[in-house]
Structure formats: structure tokens, C-alpha cells
Amino acid sequence: MARPGRSRLAIALGSLLLLAGILLIIQGGALLSVDRPVRARSRDVDDTQPVRPVAPVAGAQRLEPARKVAQDLIAPPRLDPAEIERAEPRPPLSELGLAVPPKTPMPRDWREVLLYRPVVTSSAMFEAMGRKVFISGVRGIDLDSSCSFHDVTWPCGVRARAVFNSWLRGRALHCFVPPDVERFAVAAPCRLGKQDVGAWLVSNGWATALPSGIYGKAEATARDAEMGMFGPAQ
């Protein structure tokens, strides 16, 4: 009779242990589940505690609150086409805003060459390397010409040639000339370094500007300043 009682007790105890194990497994699975959100602990905040102000961050930009703009305020006003009147363009603020006159196109077969050891023959003409070149855009002074200033006459033609020759000092000139096979007297633009030879002659009063040239203002300046042939004897 003792053995059946012990067996039943062992079975009951085993069942309890099995049930306890199942409950532990279920509870552990619930705690380790990744699908179930974990709630953070809530703490009671005392409203009477003072809130510390946050210090501003150095270099941070202050953001202005956004504001609403009515659409009718930013829309362009309605205009009647009949009330629109075309106004004349305003004059330029200075001569710097004016368009530069176009340069005279040179023949395609002409090239810029360096003419060495130029010899001045008049106030706007020289010879170099077998070529006779007239400075284009200007009118030179003849050698036998005389100028008068305050009733005093002086040989400005000879003086103009001497000044031009002294300015060149035998230095080479860059000129646009035709090919070597056509070595006849030509009117060509020349420069000494970066200096326009025609502009130098006219602005210093040793030549006059042609009506179709680009040195009209330079001649007016030379006349006002009484430069070269427009001034006293030199």
C-alpha cells in the first residue's frame, strides 16, 4: 500500500515542477520578446521646481519665426496697356559706357611685322627695311611748313620731324604691312611697344587727325593745351 502512495506523490510533484517550468518559460519569452515595446520608466515631475535656462550656443544663427504673406500683396499690380508710355533712354553716365568705334579691318594678306632701325623722313612718315610707311589716320606736317603763334612764325615742319625721330631713337616698330613682294609706300597703323604712334603724334601736336580717323579728341586736346605746332616756337 505504501508504494502506490509514493508514486502518486512523485507524479503530483513532477506535474507541479513541470507546470512551474512552463510558466517560467512563458514569462521569460515575454520579457525577451523583440516585438513588444519597452516602456520607459515614468517619473513624477514636480512643477514647483525651477527650470534652468539653456545657454545660447556661440556662433548659432537666430531663427526668425515664419510669417505669412498675403498673395495679393506680392502679386504685380494690374496695368492698363493703354496707360503705358515709352520713355526715352537716359544718356550714359560717362564716356566709358559708350561703345568703342570698330577697328578698320586690315587686308587678310597683311601681317604685323617688326620694322627695325626706322628713319624718320617727316612728322608722320618713316623708312625701314626698304619700306616707306605713312602712319595711318593722321596728316603729317611737311618739312617746309611754318607755324604761327602770337604773330611769331617758326619752322614747325622741321621741328616735328626732329621730335618724332628723337622719340623713336631708332627703336623697332610693329606695323601692319603687305607682303614683302609689294614694297610700295603704304599707310599702316604702327605702335612702339604698347604706344600707338598715331595717337602719340596727334596728342603731342605734331600731326593732325584725319576726318575719318579715330584721333579727333586727341587733336582737340592738343589744341586746347597748345601742344606742338599749336603752341609757341620750340
Side-chain angles (χ1 to χ4, degrees):
M1 296 295 295
R3 290 183 179 178
R6 290 181 179 180
S7 299
R8 292 178 181 177
L9 181 60
I11 293 172
L13 183 59
S15 300
L16 291 176
L17 293 175
L18 180 61
L19 181 60
I22 293 174
L23 292 176
L24 290 175
I25 292 174
I26 295 174
Q27 185 67 22
L31 293 176
L32 298 178
S33 177
V34 296
D35 296 332
R36 184 176 180 181
V38 179
R39 295 182 180 180
R41 295 182 179 180
S42 60
R43 295 184 299 177
D44 296 335
V45 180
D46 189 2
D47 296 338
T48 60
Q49 295 180 356
V51 180
R52 296 181 180 179
V54 180
V57 180
Q61 297 181 355
R62 184 179 180 182
L63 300 178
E64 298 292 338
R67 61 186 182 89
K68 295 183 179 180
V69 179
Q71 186 175 0
D72 56 348
L73 294 180
I74 61 175
R78 296 182 180 180
L79 298 177
D80 186 4
E83 298 179 356
I84 300 177
E85 182 179 357
R86 188 178 184 87
E88 295 294 334
R90 65 168 178 80
L93 300 179
S94 66
E95 295 183 357
L96 297 177
L98 299 178
V100 179
K103 296 182 179 180
T104 303
M106 302 300 297
R108 294 184 178 180
D109 57 343
W110 287 34
R111 295 292 183 270
E112 186 180 25
V113 298
L114 195 60
L115 300 179
Y116 295 95
R117 295 182 295 276
V119 177
V120 176
T121 56
S122 69
S123 67
M125 184 176 63
F126 67 92
E127 295 180 359
M129 300 174 62
R131 298 176 181 271
K132 182 182 292 185
V133 181
F134 297 90
I135 304 301
S136 62
V138 304
R139 181 184 291 109
I141 309 172
D142 296 334
L143 287 177
D144 56 353
S145 297
S146 299
C147 300
S148 178
F149 183 79
H150 293 174
D151 298 332
V152 177
T153 303
W154 57 285
C156 57
V158 177
R159 181 58 180 167
R161 182 184 64 175
V163 172
F164 187 22
N165 192 35
S166 177
W167 180 64
L168 288 182
R169 298 196 306 274
R171 291 176 291 179
L173 295 174
H174 292 267
C175 301
F176 275 95
V177 294
D180 295 340
V181 295
E182 300 178 358
R183 293 199 173 188
F184 50 85
V186 294
C190 299
R191 59 182 177 87
L192 178 62
K194 295 183 179 180
Q195 178 69 54
D196 186 350
V197 178
W200 185 89
L201 289 172
V202 176
S203 61
N204 286 275
W206 300 118
T208 56
L210 293 178
S212 59
I214 59 175
Y215 306 120
K217 291 185 178 181
E219 180 181 346
T221 302
R223 289 180 180 273
D224 295 340
E226 298 180 350
M227 299 288 292
M229 61 179 171
F230 306 113
Q234 299 184 21

Short mmCIF file of all heavy atoms in Angstrom, two decimals, residues 102-141:
data_model
loop_
_atom_site.label_atom_id
_atom_site.label_comp_id
_atom_site.label_asym_id
_atom_site.label_seq_id
_atom_site.Cartn_x
_atom_site.Cartn_y
_atom_site.Cartn_z
N PRO A 102 34.48 100.64 -84.05
CA PRO A 102 35.10 99.42 -84.59
C PRO A 102 36.41 99.74 -85.29
O PRO A 102 36.58 100.79 -85.91
CB PRO A 102 34.04 98.89 -85.58
CG PRO A 102 33.25 100.10 -85.96
CD PRO A 102 33.22 100.98 -84.74
N LYS A 103 37.34 98.81 -85.18
CA LYS A 103 38.62 98.97 -85.83
C LYS A 103 38.49 98.71 -87.33
O LYS A 103 37.67 97.90 -87.77
CB LYS A 103 39.65 98.02 -85.23
CG LYS A 103 39.97 98.30 -83.77
CD LYS A 103 41.04 97.35 -83.27
CE LYS A 103 41.38 97.64 -81.81
NZ LYS A 103 42.44 96.72 -81.31
N THR A 104 39.30 99.43 -88.09
CA THR A 104 39.28 99.24 -89.54
C THR A 104 39.86 97.87 -89.87
O THR A 104 40.99 97.56 -89.47
CB THR A 104 40.10 100.34 -90.23
OG1 THR A 104 39.58 101.61 -89.84
CG2 THR A 104 40.04 100.19 -91.74
N PRO A 105 39.10 97.03 -90.56
CA PRO A 105 39.64 95.70 -90.88
C PRO A 105 40.82 95.81 -91.84
O PRO A 105 40.80 96.58 -92.79
CB PRO A 105 38.44 94.98 -91.51
CG PRO A 105 37.57 96.08 -92.04
CD PRO A 105 37.74 97.24 -91.10
N MET A 106 41.84 95.03 -91.56
CA MET A 106 43.02 95.01 -92.41
C MET A 106 42.88 93.91 -93.46
O MET A 106 42.16 92.93 -93.25
CB MET A 106 44.27 94.76 -91.56
CG MET A 106 44.48 95.78 -90.45
SD MET A 106 44.67 97.46 -91.08
CE MET A 106 46.16 97.28 -92.03
N PRO A 107 43.53 94.08 -94.61
CA PRO A 107 43.51 93.01 -95.62
C PRO A 107 44.04 91.70 -95.04
O PRO A 107 44.89 91.69 -94.15
CB PRO A 107 44.42 93.55 -96.72
CG PRO A 107 44.39 95.04 -96.55
CD PRO A 107 44.26 95.28 -95.08
N ARG A 108 43.52 90.61 -95.54
CA ARG A 108 43.87 89.30 -94.99
C ARG A 108 45.34 88.96 -95.18
O ARG A 108 45.93 88.26 -94.35
CB ARG A 108 42.99 88.22 -95.62
CG ARG A 108 41.52 88.34 -95.26
CD ARG A 108 40.73 87.19 -95.85
NE ARG A 108 39.32 87.26 -95.47
CZ ARG A 108 38.41 86.37 -95.85
NH1 ARG A 108 38.76 85.33 -96.61
NH2 ARG A 108 37.16 86.52 -95.46
N ASP A 109 45.93 89.44 -96.27
CA ASP A 109 47.33 89.08 -96.52
C ASP A 109 48.31 90.01 -95.82
O ASP A 109 49.52 89.81 -95.90
CB ASP A 109 47.61 89.06 -98.02
CG ASP A 109 47.29 90.39 -98.69
OD1 ASP A 109 46.56 91.20 -98.07
OD2 ASP A 109 47.76 90.63 -99.82
N TRP A 110 47.81 91.04 -95.13
CA TRP A 110 48.70 91.93 -94.37
C TRP A 110 48.99 91.30 -93.02
O TRP A 110 48.13 90.70 -92.39
CB TRP A 110 48.07 93.30 -94.17
CG TRP A 110 48.05 94.14 -95.43
CD1 TRP A 110 47.90 93.70 -96.70
CD2 TRP A 110 48.19 95.56 -95.50
NE1 TRP A 110 47.91 94.74 -97.58
CE2 TRP A 110 48.09 95.91 -96.87
CE3 TRP A 110 48.36 96.57 -94.57
CZ2 TRP A 110 48.18 97.22 -97.32
CZ3 TRP A 110 48.44 97.88 -95.00
CH2 TRP A 110 48.36 98.20 -96.37
N ARG A 111 50.21 91.45 -92.56
CA ARG A 111 50.63 90.88 -91.29
C ARG A 111 51.37 91.93 -90.48
O ARG A 111 51.95 92.87 -91.02
CB ARG A 111 51.56 89.67 -91.52
CG ARG A 111 50.89 88.49 -92.21
CD ARG A 111 49.85 87.85 -91.31
NE ARG A 111 49.25 86.68 -91.92
CZ ARG A 111 48.16 86.70 -92.68
NH1 ARG A 111 47.56 87.86 -92.91
NH2 ARG A 111 47.68 85.60 -93.20
N GLU A 112 51.33 91.76 -89.17
CA GLU A 112 52.09 92.65 -88.29
C GLU A 112 53.54 92.19 -88.26
O GLU A 112 53.84 91.06 -87.87
CB GLU A 112 51.50 92.65 -86.88
CG GLU A 112 52.15 93.67 -85.96
CD GLU A 112 51.56 93.65 -84.57
OE1 GLU A 112 51.01 92.59 -84.18
OE2 GLU A 112 51.63 94.68 -83.88
N VAL A 113 54.42 93.08 -88.67
CA VAL A 113 55.85 92.77 -88.72
C VAL A 113 56.60 93.78 -87.88
O VAL A 113 56.09 94.86 -87.55
CB VAL A 113 56.37 92.77 -90.18
CG1 VAL A 113 55.67 91.72 -91.01
CG2 VAL A 113 56.20 94.15 -90.80
N LEU A 114 57.81 93.43 -87.55
CA LEU A 114 58.68 94.29 -86.75
C LEU A 114 59.69 94.95 -87.69
O LEU A 114 60.51 94.27 -88.31
CB LEU A 114 59.38 93.47 -85.68
CG LEU A 114 60.07 94.23 -84.54
CD1 LEU A 114 59.06 95.07 -83.78
CD2 LEU A 114 60.76 93.26 -83.60
N LEU A 115 59.60 96.27 -87.81
CA LEU A 115 60.48 97.03 -88.70
C LEU A 115 61.60 97.64 -87.87
O LEU A 115 61.36 98.47 -86.99
CB LEU A 115 59.69 98.12 -89.42
CG LEU A 115 58.52 97.63 -90.30
CD1 LEU A 115 57.80 98.80 -90.95
CD2 LEU A 115 59.01 96.64 -91.35
N TYR A 116 62.83 97.21 -88.18
CA TYR A 116 63.99 97.64 -87.40
C TYR A 116 64.61 98.91 -87.97
O TYR A 116 64.50 99.20 -89.16
CB TYR A 116 65.05 96.53 -87.37
CG TYR A 116 64.58 95.27 -86.66
CD1 TYR A 116 64.04 94.21 -87.37
CD2 TYR A 116 64.69 95.16 -85.28
CE1 TYR A 116 63.62 93.06 -86.72
CE2 TYR A 116 64.28 94.01 -84.62
CZ TYR A 116 63.74 92.97 -85.35
OH TYR A 116 63.32 91.83 -84.70
N ARG A 117 65.26 99.66 -87.10
CA ARG A 117 66.02 100.87 -87.43
C ARG A 117 65.23 101.83 -88.32
O ARG A 117 65.64 102.14 -89.45
CB ARG A 117 67.35 100.50 -88.09
CG ARG A 117 68.29 99.74 -87.16
CD ARG A 117 69.60 99.44 -87.85
NE ARG A 117 69.41 98.52 -88.97
CZ ARG A 117 69.36 97.20 -88.85
NH1 ARG A 117 69.48 96.64 -87.65
NH2 ARG A 117 69.22 96.44 -89.91
N PRO A 118 64.08 102.32 -87.86
CA PRO A 118 63.32 103.27 -88.67
C PRO A 118 64.02 104.63 -88.74
O PRO A 118 64.62 105.09 -87.76
CB PRO A 118 61.99 103.36 -87.92
CG PRO A 118 62.33 103.05 -86.50
CD PRO A 118 63.44 102.04 -86.55
N VAL A 119 63.93 105.25 -89.91
CA VAL A 119 64.49 106.58 -90.14
C VAL A 119 63.34 107.51 -90.48
O VAL A 119 62.62 107.29 -91.47
CB VAL A 119 65.54 106.57 -91.27
CG1 VAL A 119 66.06 107.98 -91.54
CG2 VAL A 119 66.68 105.63 -90.93
N VAL A 120 63.14 108.55 -89.68
CA VAL A 120 62.02 109.47 -89.86
C VAL A 120 62.33 110.41 -91.02
O VAL A 120 63.41 111.03 -91.07
CB VAL A 120 61.76 110.26 -88.57
CG1 VAL A 120 60.65 111.29 -88.79
CG2 VAL A 120 61.38 109.32 -87.44
N THR A 121 61.39 110.53 -91.96
CA THR A 121 61.54 111.44 -93.09
C THR A 121 60.61 112.64 -92.98
O THR A 121 60.84 113.66 -93.63
CB THR A 121 61.26 110.70 -94.40
OG1 THR A 121 59.96 110.11 -94.35
CG2 THR A 121 62.30 109.60 -94.62
N SER A 122 59.54 112.54 -92.19
CA SER A 122 58.66 113.67 -91.91
C SER A 122 57.96 113.39 -90.59
O SER A 122 58.25 112.39 -89.92
CB SER A 122 57.64 113.88 -93.04
OG SER A 122 56.71 112.82 -93.08
N SER A 123 57.02 114.25 -90.22
CA SER A 123 56.40 114.11 -88.90
C SER A 123 55.50 112.88 -88.80
O SER A 123 55.16 112.46 -87.68
CB SER A 123 55.57 115.35 -88.57
OG SER A 123 54.45 115.44 -89.44
N ALA A 124 55.11 112.26 -89.92
CA ALA A 124 54.24 111.09 -89.87
C ALA A 124 54.66 110.04 -90.88
O ALA A 124 53.84 109.24 -91.31
CB ALA A 124 52.79 111.50 -90.11
N MET A 125 55.94 110.00 -91.23
CA MET A 125 56.41 109.03 -92.21
C MET A 125 57.83 108.62 -91.84
O MET A 125 58.62 109.42 -91.33
CB MET A 125 56.38 109.62 -93.62
CG MET A 125 56.78 108.64 -94.71
SD MET A 125 56.61 109.35 -96.37
CE MET A 125 57.80 110.68 -96.28
N PHE A 126 58.14 107.35 -92.11
CA PHE A 126 59.48 106.84 -91.85
C PHE A 126 59.79 105.75 -92.87
O PHE A 126 58.90 105.22 -93.55
CB PHE A 126 59.60 106.30 -90.42
CG PHE A 126 58.78 105.05 -90.17
CD1 PHE A 126 59.31 103.78 -90.35
CD2 PHE A 126 57.46 105.16 -89.75
CE1 PHE A 126 58.56 102.65 -90.13
CE2 PHE A 126 56.70 104.02 -89.52
CZ PHE A 126 57.24 102.76 -89.71
N GLU A 127 61.06 105.41 -92.95
CA GLU A 127 61.54 104.34 -93.81
C GLU A 127 62.29 103.33 -92.96
O GLU A 127 63.06 103.70 -92.08
CB GLU A 127 62.44 104.88 -94.92
CG GLU A 127 61.73 105.80 -95.90
CD GLU A 127 62.67 106.32 -96.97
OE1 GLU A 127 63.88 105.97 -96.91
OE2 GLU A 127 62.22 107.07 -97.86
N ALA A 128 62.04 102.04 -93.26
CA ALA A 128 62.71 100.98 -92.51
C ALA A 128 62.68 99.70 -93.33
O ALA A 128 61.63 99.34 -93.89
CB ALA A 128 62.02 100.74 -91.17
N MET A 129 63.83 99.04 -93.45
CA MET A 129 63.95 97.75 -94.12
C MET A 129 63.40 97.80 -95.54
O MET A 129 62.71 96.89 -96.01
CB MET A 129 63.25 96.65 -93.30
CG MET A 129 63.81 96.49 -91.89
SD MET A 129 62.87 95.33 -90.86
CE MET A 129 63.08 93.81 -91.80
N GLY A 130 63.69 98.90 -96.26
CA GLY A 130 63.27 99.04 -97.64
C GLY A 130 61.82 99.43 -97.81
O GLY A 130 61.32 99.44 -98.94
N ARG A 131 61.12 99.76 -96.75
CA ARG A 131 59.71 100.15 -96.83
C ARG A 131 59.56 101.63 -96.49
O ARG A 131 60.30 102.17 -95.67
CB ARG A 131 58.84 99.32 -95.88
CG ARG A 131 58.83 97.83 -96.16
CD ARG A 131 58.01 97.12 -95.09
NE ARG A 131 57.96 95.68 -95.30
CZ ARG A 131 57.04 95.05 -96.03
NH1 ARG A 131 56.10 95.76 -96.64
NH2 ARG A 131 57.06 93.74 -96.17
N LYS A 132 58.57 102.26 -97.11
CA LYS A 132 58.18 103.62 -96.78
C LYS A 132 56.77 103.56 -96.20
O LYS A 132 55.83 103.16 -96.88
CB LYS A 132 58.21 104.52 -98.01
CG LYS A 132 57.86 105.96 -97.71
CD LYS A 132 57.87 106.81 -98.98
CE LYS A 132 59.29 106.95 -99.52
NZ LYS A 132 59.33 107.88 -100.69
N VAL A 133 56.63 103.96 -94.94
CA VAL A 133 55.37 103.79 -94.21
C VAL A 133 54.87 105.15 -93.75
O VAL A 133 55.62 105.93 -93.14
CB VAL A 133 55.55 102.85 -93.00
CG1 VAL A 133 54.23 102.68 -92.26
CG2 VAL A 133 56.10 101.50 -93.44
N PHE A 134 53.60 105.43 -94.05
CA PHE A 134 52.89 106.58 -93.51
C PHE A 134 52.03 106.10 -92.33
O PHE A 134 51.37 105.06 -92.43
CB PHE A 134 51.99 107.23 -94.57
CG PHE A 134 52.73 107.78 -95.75
CD1 PHE A 134 52.98 106.98 -96.86
CD2 PHE A 134 53.18 109.09 -95.76
CE1 PHE A 134 53.66 107.48 -97.96
CE2 PHE A 134 53.86 109.60 -96.85
CZ PHE A 134 54.10 108.80 -97.95
N ILE A 135 52.03 106.85 -91.26
CA ILE A 135 51.18 106.49 -90.11
C ILE A 135 49.73 106.75 -90.50
O ILE A 135 49.36 107.87 -90.86
CB ILE A 135 51.57 107.30 -88.87
CG1 ILE A 135 53.05 107.10 -88.54
CG2 ILE A 135 50.71 106.90 -87.68
CD1 ILE A 135 53.44 105.68 -88.27
N SER A 136 48.91 105.71 -90.43
CA SER A 136 47.52 105.83 -90.87
C SER A 136 46.70 106.61 -89.85
O SER A 136 46.98 106.61 -88.65
CB SER A 136 46.91 104.44 -91.06
OG SER A 136 46.91 103.72 -89.83
N GLY A 137 45.67 107.29 -90.36
CA GLY A 137 44.75 108.03 -89.50
C GLY A 137 45.20 109.44 -89.16
O GLY A 137 44.46 110.16 -88.47
N VAL A 138 46.38 109.87 -89.63
CA VAL A 138 46.89 111.20 -89.30
C VAL A 138 47.37 111.89 -90.57
O VAL A 138 47.62 111.26 -91.60
CB VAL A 138 48.04 111.13 -88.27
CG1 VAL A 138 47.59 110.39 -87.01
CG2 VAL A 138 49.27 110.46 -88.86
N ARG A 139 47.49 113.20 -90.48
CA ARG A 139 48.07 114.01 -91.55
C ARG A 139 49.31 114.70 -91.00
O ARG A 139 49.23 115.47 -90.05
CB ARG A 139 47.07 115.04 -92.07
CG ARG A 139 47.62 115.89 -93.22
CD ARG A 139 46.63 116.96 -93.64
NE ARG A 139 45.46 116.37 -94.29
CZ ARG A 139 44.25 116.35 -93.73
NH1 ARG A 139 44.06 116.86 -92.52
NH2 ARG A 139 43.24 115.82 -94.38
N GLY A 140 50.45 114.39 -91.58
CA GLY A 140 51.70 114.93 -91.08
C GLY A 140 51.94 116.37 -91.50
O GLY A 140 51.15 116.98 -92.24
N ILE A 141 53.04 116.93 -91.03
CA ILE A 141 53.44 118.30 -91.35
C ILE A 141 54.59 118.23 -92.35
O ILE A 141 55.58 117.52 -92.13
CB ILE A 141 53.89 119.05 -90.07
CG1 ILE A 141 52.83 118.92 -88.97
CG2 ILE A 141 54.15 120.51 -90.37
CD1 ILE A 141 53.28 119.47 -87.64
#
